[in-house]
Amino acid sequence: MTENAQHPQPASTPELPTQYAPAEVEGKLYERWVERGYFEADAKSDKPPYTIVIPPPNVTGSLHLGHAFEHTIIDALTRRKRMQGYETLWQPGMDHAGIATQNVVERELAKEGKSRQDLGREAFVERVWQWKEESGGQISGQMRRLGDGVAWSRERFTMDEGLSEAVQTIFKRLFDDGLIYRAERIINWCPRCLTAISDIEVEYQDDDGELVSITYGEGDETLVVATTRAETMLGDTAVAVHPDDERYAHLVGKRIRLPLTDRTIPVVADTHVDPEFGTGAVKVTPAHDPNDFEIGRRHDLPNITVMDERAVITVPGPFQGLDRFEARSAIVAALRADGRIVAEKRPYVHSVGHCSRCKTTVEPRLSLQWWVKVATLAKAAGDAVRDGRVTIHPKEMESRYFAWVDDLRDWNISRQLWWGHRIPVWHGPDGETVCVGPDEEPPTGEGWSQDTDVLDTWFSSALWPFSTLGWPEQTPSLEKFYPNSVLVTGYDILFFWVARMMLFGLYAMDGTPPFHTIALHGMVRDQFGKKMSKSFGNAVNPLDWMDKYGSDAVRFTLARGANPGVDVPIGEDWVQGSRNFANKIWNATRFAMMNGATVDGPLPAPEQMSATDRWILSRLGETVAQVDAYYDDYQFAKLSDTLFHFAWDEVFDWYVELSKTTFFDGGEQAKVSGRVLGEVLDVTLRLLHPVVPFVTETLWTTLTGKESVVIADWPADSGFRDQDAEREIEHLQQVITEVRRFRADQGLQPGQKVPARLDLSGTSLAAHEAAIRQVLRLQPEGDGFHATATLPVAGATVALDLSGTIDVEAEHKRLTKDLGAAEKEKAQATAKLGNEAFLAKAPDNVVDKIRTRLAKAETDIERITAQIAGLPQG
């Protein structure tokens, strides 16, 4: 629906309340928008499509500041495109969050004294579905609080029937193409969750550990290795040294005794070893370290697993049955007793990986897992960016993307969980393996069983841009809305989610990438730039701020900090400032409407307008152009700042103030200015709407009498520019600013009236005398007027009678100090411009800045000298 098709509201539209109360309007407005279907998307529309998917939040999650930040950006983009006439789809949905959700339900069972094993797999999965229906997805309601304009009728869940079919379909295709295989590899293993976890689910932190140096071998055939994980030595199958390290050349190829065991292990030469680090010799445990695993493959070493899935030692002997940390202490004690410890460093602070869900220390572990062979997929993902089919914004993030996809390792897609998409592979009694597609029947009979693993959550979320549109069916929505226009997400999941969507999108959609643009944003941090965390005591619940200040205030604060790819600091005082901005918009619009601001009829011709009218319309056109350019470049901080200063400074603080005398006087000019002010408010509110939707909806519908700003037309640059008017008002602002500064310096109250004589002859300011007097509280000079201070500025002269109020001596000192600073600035600029060597080397823009400084200094000297001369004598 276009703006022109909107239904007018009743003529008896109520006046705006004296104060804006967000809590009283936001919820009602949002429900009205949803009921009227403003956010829905029609696949049959002939409008051009604009598609964005929501990065699906976990079904266990609740709205945090990171969500609020990202959703504000996406909502602003989609609201603007909707106003521009696009068929706009913001696709909502949630991720089933395998590990997180299973942990939540297992904790509930534990309260009942039960485990998932007590229920069995089928009953446990039913219990998870029950939890999801009753308690999951609370973030959806919180998104409504924020104002998310998503197409709720299209909401999807990564475990729903359609998306499950998509998962099974692409698994089958990849399997049949030889791109999915099963093999033993080193993975991140959580001994608490009892599953492999992805790299992004590993959180690294500095832990206090110990570094022990151990002597391997006997007699002359010994060397020293250092380790923080002494328990893994039970699985050592070699010691590695660098091929060029002459210290150990005599040992390469020989076997030495492994302490505390009855085994000998070889010394191998491998270029992975850094001869300059430590002793230049490293223990090799292929089953418990990814680098050691690769060394083991190169040298055909055996893989000895020394602990089970719960990180309990399994090697027969005195340490069997001990937890890994208990075994570590016991093994170090045994080595010490055997005289094998040559050095101990405790505490030894080093980076250790922890499961992001349960905080358990992650164990690198050799495990039989399912993998995606990524070489050809990753090449296609890199090519799509290199050849321009996909643009990464900001561009400097491209290097990080290429560093990842160009060296992408095969992807471990299996998880040892019960909640998730179960791998569609059946194993037979004689080692047969059959992958089953969604329309195929699985093999039956004795000895056949389905693989027990489920798929990594990232596997299903990698399909999100097209599975949510109905793929593998060729639906009208898929045809209309794929590929997505832009993906907005944090740079922290560039490697994990974004890259995987590229892999699968290009593969499943015949080389068409899933989106045209990847717009990356940073992380939300506290006002001091520190990461927000409950443990740091600086985490913020955005709902608390929304309750206190309104959703618009939170959104505007986040948008003003949104520079592409850069972290966003935020503090409560900034939200207070944004609340003040919302109040300013409210109060100024209310005042304007009470004083004749209207959108009725066409704009008057320029010759009917005052210079002030023409100035604000010129500035309005320039603002529209700037905001459009910033939107297209994803510069949310700049567009928000532009709108803030235009609305607050130029419209409310200058135009409204300068026009008050016109409105108070009434007459034809008041009607002209009222129509101009109405136009400016109309356009300004539409420009602001995508970022602050609630307050602008209330004000715009009241101002215009139309149905909703959500479906209004996005403002176009009128092309109107009036440089003469802009210069004239700039001079007017200079006069007012200088007199205001002088009054403040003299300690005068803002409302205190002062007699003044204005000499505006020879300037273009004569028509503004009434406005100058109104804004500056300047009375006519009257009888007995005595000029105690004269302020020459912008070609005009303002003489003030401050008899009895001005401290002449203090003002003389202040002006003398200012004059000295201006003369120093002039001398420095003059010296640089007179230096031929400097001029020959300095860039043109630097020279231009110095010339500008010189011109300003000369103007300041002239102005201040005149002010000193105008001070009362004696």
Side-chain angles (χ1 to χ4, degrees):
M1 182 183 290
T2 64
E3 180 189 5
N4 295 331
Q6 295 190 26
H7 308 297
Q9 293 182 338
S12 57
T13 300
E15 290 186 359
L16 292 169
T18 55
Q19 291 185 328
Y20 177 51
E24 296 178 11
V25 301
E26 291 180 348
K28 295 175 183 177
L29 284 182
Y30 188 84
E31 290 309 312
R32 184 190 307 163
W33 293 336
V34 173
E35 288 169 5
R36 293 180 178 178
Y38 294 157
F39 305 140
E40 296 302 325
D42 183 2
K44 298 179 181 178
S45 166
D46 59 2
K47 297 178 182 178
Y50 186 79
T51 317
I52 296 181
V53 295
I54 190 173
N58 288 351
V59 67
T60 59
S62 60
L63 191 76
H64 56 63
L65 267 179
H67 290 130
F69 172 56
E70 186 168 79
H71 291 200
T72 294
I73 293 174
I74 299 175
D75 197 39
L77 287 171
T78 53
R79 284 179 182 269
R80 172 176 176 255
K81 285 296 182 180
R82 189 177 295 113
M83 295 171 76
Q84 286 182 316
Y86 286 78
E87 193 62 37
T88 302
L89 170 60
W90 183 9
Q91 173 67 52
M94 286 182 293
D95 191 284
H96 66 276
I99 296 177
T101 307
Q102 180 159 315
N103 280 349
V104 168
V105 178
E106 285 195 86
R107 283 196 294 268
E108 286 195 352
L109 286 174
K111 294 176 184 177
E112 303 170 12
K114 299 178 182 177
S115 69
R116 61 184 167 112
Q117 286 77 15
D118 294 330
L119 270 67
R121 184 167 192 146
E122 186 175 338
F124 177 77
V125 170
E126 283 299 318
R127 179 69 178 259
V128 179
W129 276 109
Q130 179 185 340
W131 176 88
K132 187 259 182 186
E133 295 304 318
E134 294 175 356
S135 306
Q138 64 173 319
I139 194 171
S140 294
Q142 296 165 348
M143 288 164 57
R144 293 169 183 263
R145 285 283 314 277
L146 188 65
D148 285 7
V150 301
W152 287 113
S153 69
R154 292 172 171 265
E155 187 174 13
R156 303 304 299 268
F157 180 55
T158 50
M159 286 280 286
D160 70 27
E161 184 177 352
L163 270 63
S164 294
E165 180 184 350
V167 167
Q168 195 171 354
T169 298
I170 199 164
F171 188 100
K172 171 70 171 174
R173 292 187 186 180
L174 289 162
F175 185 91
D176 289 349
D177 286 345
L179 295 176
I180 284 182
Y181 65 95
R182 198 179 191 209
E184 281 194 321
R185 297 282 190 278
I186 294 287
I187 46 86
N188 303 306
W189 181 265
C190 176
R192 156 63 183 79
C193 299
L194 299 180
T195 182
I197 59 177
S198 68
D199 290 342
I200 198 173
E201 291 162 327
V202 179
E203 294 179 346
Y204 287 90
Q205 65 184 47
D206 287 340
D207 286 358
D208 286 346
E210 60 182 352
L211 180 69
V212 292
S213 298
I214 310 166
T215 300
Y216 280 30
E218 304 289 350
D220 295 333
E221 296 183 350
T222 62
L223 36 66
V224 175
V225 300
T227 182
T228 59
R229 301 166 67 217
E231 69 278 8
T232 64
M233 69 171 291
L234 300 176
D236 286 358
T237 55
V239 172
V241 297
H242 193 275
D244 299 332
D245 195 334
E246 295 181 358
R247 293 173 296 175
Y248 305 116
H250 66 290
L251 291 177
V252 173
K254 293 185 177 181
R255 301 185 70 86
I256 61 174
R257 181 157 299 281
L258 179 64
L260 306 183
T261 73
D262 59 0
R263 293 192 291 119
T264 61
I265 57 177
V267 177
V268 300
D270 196 282
T271 55
H272 172 75
V273 180
D274 180 1
E276 302 298 323
F277 184 77
T279 63
V282 297
K283 60 192 288 296
V284 181
T285 320
H288 291 277
D289 183 275
N291 293 321
D292 292 4
F293 179 76
E294 295 302 326
I295 293 175
R297 291 178 69 178
R298 288 193 289 272
H299 298 277
D300 197 25
L301 300 174
N303 302 314
I304 300 178
T305 299
V306 301
M307 60 186 81
D308 65 13
E309 61 183 8
R310 297 183 184 277
V312 173
I313 300 300
T314 57
V315 178
F319 312 110
Q320 186 175 12
L322 294 179
D323 169 81
R324 54 183 164 163
F325 299 121
E326 295 172 334
R328 181 177 301 172
S329 298
I331 288 172
V332 170
L335 289 167
R336 189 183 302 115
D338 200 28
R340 293 281 180 173
I341 302 292
V342 297
E344 296 181 66
K345 185 174 183 181
R346 189 182 297 110
Y348 178 71
V349 179
H350 61 131
S351 182
V352 177
H354 296 260
C355 174
S356 63
R357 302 300 176 191
C358 67
K359 311 308 177 187
T360 301
T361 299
V362 169
E363 188 66 37
R365 184 170 186 260
L366 186 64
S367 179
L368 182 62
Q369 301 281 342
W370 288 94
W371 303 83
V372 173
K373 191 180 297 183
V374 300
T376 57
L377 303 175
K379 182 180 185 305
D383 290 346
V385 174
R386 287 189 169 94
D387 64 24
R389 282 176 290 155
V390 177
T391 300
I392 293 180
H393 188 90
K395 188 174 178 60
E396 53 264 28
M397 288 288 179
E398 277 188 4
S399 59
R400 298 179 67 171
Y401 175 80
F402 292 135
W404 180 257
V405 298
D406 291 349
D407 194 31
L408 195 59
R409 295 180 296 178
D410 285 358
W411 172 15
N412 169 214
I413 57 171
S414 48
R415 298 292 181 265
Q416 291 64 53
L417 303 170
W418 287 357
W419 172 245
H421 295 101
R422 194 163 173 181
I423 287 178
V425 170
W426 270 254
H427 303 288
D430 298 318
E432 305 97 328
T433 299
V434 175
C435 181
V436 177
D439 299 323
E440 300 172 348
E441 291 295 326
T444 58
E446 186 176 351
W448 283 94
S449 62
Q450 187 176 359
D451 197 283
T452 57
D453 288 352
V454 300
L455 286 164
D456 176 15
T457 298
W458 296 105
F459 190 96
S460 50
S461 60
L463 312 180
W464 194 246
F466 50 95
S467 63
T468 52
L469 299 174
W471 186 91
E473 301 298 323
Q474 295 303 306
T475 64
S477 289
L478 187 64
E479 182 178 352
K480 177 75 173 180
F481 296 113
Y482 188 90
N484 294 182
S485 305
V486 61
L487 174 75
V488 177
T489 192
Y491 62 70
D492 59 322
I493 56 174
L494 172 65
F495 316 131
F496 304 101
W497 186 44
V498 180
R500 282 156 170 67
M501 284 190 290
M502 289 285 282
L503 299 182
F504 280 2
L506 289 159
Y507 173 79
M509 301 301 292
D510 299 321
T512 302
F515 17 75
H516 296 300
T517 300
I518 301 168
L520 299 170
H521 60 72
M523 303 294 99
V524 178
R525 298 181 178 273
D526 71 12
Q527 64 196 85
F528 305 107
K530 190 175 182 180
K531 179 181 178 180
M532 285 192 173
S533 167
K534 290 182 181 178
S535 61
F536 295 156
N538 62 351
V540 172
N541 183 346
L543 298 170
D544 293 339
W545 280 353
M546 284 188 256
D547 289 341
K548 195 171 182 180
Y549 303 111
S551 297
D552 282 335
V554 174
R555 290 170 61 115
F556 194 69
T557 304
L558 291 164
R560 285 194 81 180
N563 290 297
V566 179
D567 288 346
V568 182
I570 184 172
E572 186 170 1
D573 54 339
W574 302 343
V575 185
Q576 292 175 358
S578 295
R579 186 269 316 273
N580 295 342
F581 179 52
N583 288 340
K584 181 78 169 183
I585 299 170
W586 182 273
N587 294 333
T589 303
R590 183 173 178 273
F591 170 84
M593 292 177 64
M594 291 171 60
N595 287 276
T598 179
V599 295
D600 296 336
L603 274 175
E607 55 269 20
Q608 294 178 276
M609 300 178 191
S610 67
T612 311
D613 295 334
R614 297 194 304 276
W615 164 75
I616 197 62
L617 289 176
S618 183
R619 293 296 308 129
L620 179 65
E622 180 62 30
T623 299
V624 171
Q626 284 183 335
V627 168
D628 274 333
Y630 288 142
Y631 260 115
D632 292 341
D633 199 33
Y634 303 99
Q635 297 278 0
F636 286 90
K638 291 181 179 179
L639 73 87
S640 299
D641 213 47
T642 297
L643 286 170
F644 174 87
H645 288 293
F646 175 72
W648 191 307
D649 300 344
E650 297 185 297
V651 179
F652 303 143
D653 278 359
W654 282 111
Y655 181 72
V656 171
E657 286 297 317
L658 293 174
S659 301
K660 280 182 178 178
T661 53
T662 301
F663 292 136
F664 294 161
D665 291 344
E668 288 303 312
Q669 192 57 49
K671 293 179 181 178
V672 170
S673 293
R675 179 64 190 89
V676 170
L677 180 53
E679 181 74 10
V680 172
L681 290 175
D682 170 16
V683 173
T684 302
L685 292 171
R686 282 186 280 153
L687 288 174
L688 283 165
H689 171 72
V691 181
V692 284
F694 294 108
V695 67
T696 52
E697 171 80 339
T698 304
L699 294 173
W700 189 84
T701 53
T702 305
L703 172 70
T704 65
K706 294 179 179 177
E707 181 180 340
S708 175
V709 69
V710 176
I711 51 173
D713 289 337
W714 180 252
D717 179 4
S718 65
F720 181 81
R721 302 290 190 275
D722 190 326
Q723 298 302 321
D724 291 338
E726 291 202 32
R727 279 191 295 271
E728 183 173 325
I729 301 305
E730 183 182 353
H731 292 157
L732 175 60
Q733 290 171 328
Q734 289 174 359
V735 171
I736 292 173
T737 300
E738 180 62 25
V739 176
R740 276 178 172 165
R741 184 202 58 76
F742 179 79
R743 287 178 56 113
D745 288 345
Q746 297 308 308
L748 299 178
Q749 295 301 314
Q752 186 174 347
K753 295 182 178 179
V754 176
R757 177 188 300 143
L758 273 62
D759 182 2
L760 307 176
S761 58
T763 73
S764 58
L765 303 180
H768 300 285
E769 180 167 352
I772 293 173
R773 289 187 178 277
Q774 165 69 28
V775 172
L776 291 172
R777 304 294 190 269
L778 301 180
Q779 294 177 318
E781 52 192 280
D783 296 335
F785 176 83
H786 176 62
T788 57
T790 303
L791 306 176
V793 56
T797 303
V798 179
L800 304 173
D801 185 352
L802 302 178
S803 302
T805 63
I806 186 172
D807 185 338
V808 176
E809 183 178 356
E811 179 65 5
H812 192 278
K813 286 183 179 179
R814 185 189 67 80
L815 289 172
T816 301
K817 182 179 179 181
D818 289 351
L819 180 61
E823 289 174 337
K824 182 179 180 181
E825 177 73 2
K826 177 184 177 180
Q828 290 175 341
T830 300
K832 285 190 175 181
L833 292 174
N835 185 334
E836 294 297 332
F838 170 78
L839 293 177
K841 296 179 180 179
D844 291 344
N845 65 319
V846 172
V847 176
D848 289 342
K849 285 182 180 179
I850 295 173
R851 288 183 177 134
T852 300
R853 284 169 47 195
L854 176 60
K856 183 179 183 302
E858 290 173 341
T859 300
D860 288 345
I861 291 170
E862 181 180 357
R863 172 179 57 81
I864 296 168
T865 301
Q867 286 179 257
I868 292 175
L871 288 174
Q873 302 297 315

